[in-house]
Amino acid sequence: MAIIQTLTTSFKVEVAQALHNFTTGTGNVFKLALYTANADLGASTTAYTTAGESSGTNYTAGGIVLTNITPAFQGTTSYWSFETATFTNVSLTTNGALIYNSTNGNRSVAVLNFGVNITKTAQNLVITFPANDATNAVLRIA
């Protein structure tokens, strides 16, 4: 079992098929689900799964809704991201996450590996995405 950070292969194909809309306010709903180190997530993950998902106080299976940032481009790189996401007053342990499109079949977008176990006890867990630019945004096509 492992959590491998990557854009999922199915997402790369589905972008070309126009199955994901990241437009702020009018786009699809994307969620962030948390996973333990026992999860098996990577490039071949095609959809949200409960296998290996974190559980605990104030955490709901499926995670939380993300706020989209409308895609932009700089030079030949298109990029987009999400606003900071907060899991409020949770008690859990997590090692990674899955971004997925809950509007469109729970299709996977990206796997995030936190690199270490993060444990929170009645605390907020804040996920801060990288700067939304052509070099750093969590989602980029160059």
Side-chain angles (χ1 to χ4, degrees):
M1 303 284 198
I3 299 176
I4 308 298
Q5 183 155 316
T6 186
L7 290 179
T8 62
T9 304
S10 59
F11 170 73
K12 295 173 188 177
V13 171
E14 292 164 0
V15 165
Q17 296 170 335
L19 295 176
H20 300 278
N21 180 350
F22 292 90
T23 306
T24 303
T26 59
N28 298 147
V29 173
F30 293 87
K31 290 187 173 183
L32 182 71
L34 300 175
Y35 290 85
T36 68
N38 294 327
D40 189 16
L41 302 171
S44 64
T45 302
T46 59
Y48 162 73
T49 178
T50 59
E53 188 171 7
S54 295
S55 63
T57 304
N58 293 329
Y59 178 80
T60 302
I64 60 173
V65 173
L66 295 170
T67 301
N68 299 342
I69 298 175
T70 299
F73 73 93
Q74 180 180 6
T76 59
T77 301
S78 63
Y79 59 91
W80 59 101
S81 191
F82 304 97
E83 298 289 340
T84 297
T86 302
F87 293 86
T88 305
N89 196 35
V90 294
S91 295
L92 55 70
T93 297
T94 184
N95 193 273
L98 178 69
I99 299 171
Y100 68 97
N101 185 337
S102 69
T103 300
N104 199 348
N106 291 332
R107 289 175 157 87
S108 67
V109 173
V111 176
L112 307 177
N113 183 318
F114 301 147
V116 297
N117 278 334
I118 298 170
T119 299
K120 295 291 182 177
T121 304
Q123 296 174 300
N124 290 349
L125 172 60
V126 178
I127 307 297
T128 303
F129 289 95
N132 188 39
D133 59 40
T135 304
N136 300 296
V138 71
L139 302 169
R140 290 172 284 160
I141 299 174

